[in-house]
Amino acid sequence: MVITSSEMAEQLFRLAGPARAGTLQCLLYCVPHPRIAERLQALGATRIVTTRADDDALVAGLREWFSRHP
């Protein structure tokens, strides 16, 4: 899932509620800034790829992640 702001991460978890938090914590997140990654970690997410904010960087980051985690 691509998350582009800390606020978006917070809203996602808030809207999902406690019953679905575990599911959200297991997803793979791709984020364009370390602060967003930190917020997701605070919400319990464990699989986070941090890249630059452009499309090419996003694709490269995901390719790298999946090459290490087949």
Side-chain angles (χ1 to χ4, degrees), residues 3-58:
I3 299 289
T4 57
S5 73
S6 296
E7 294 80 11
M8 183 185 287
E10 291 172 10
Q11 287 286 27
L12 177 66
F13 276 78
R14 185 185 65 75
L15 289 171
R20 292 193 175 92
T23 299
L24 292 178
Q25 291 167 337
C26 294
L27 295 178
L28 172 62
Y29 293 93
C30 190
V31 302
H33 196 277
R35 255 183 302 184
I36 303 167
E38 290 169 8
R39 185 64 195 128
L40 282 166
Q41 287 173 330
L43 291 165
T46 57
R47 299 179 343 151
I48 305 166
V49 175
T50 304
T51 68
R52 292 185 326 271
D54 60 90
D55 292 342
D56 290 338
L58 176 92

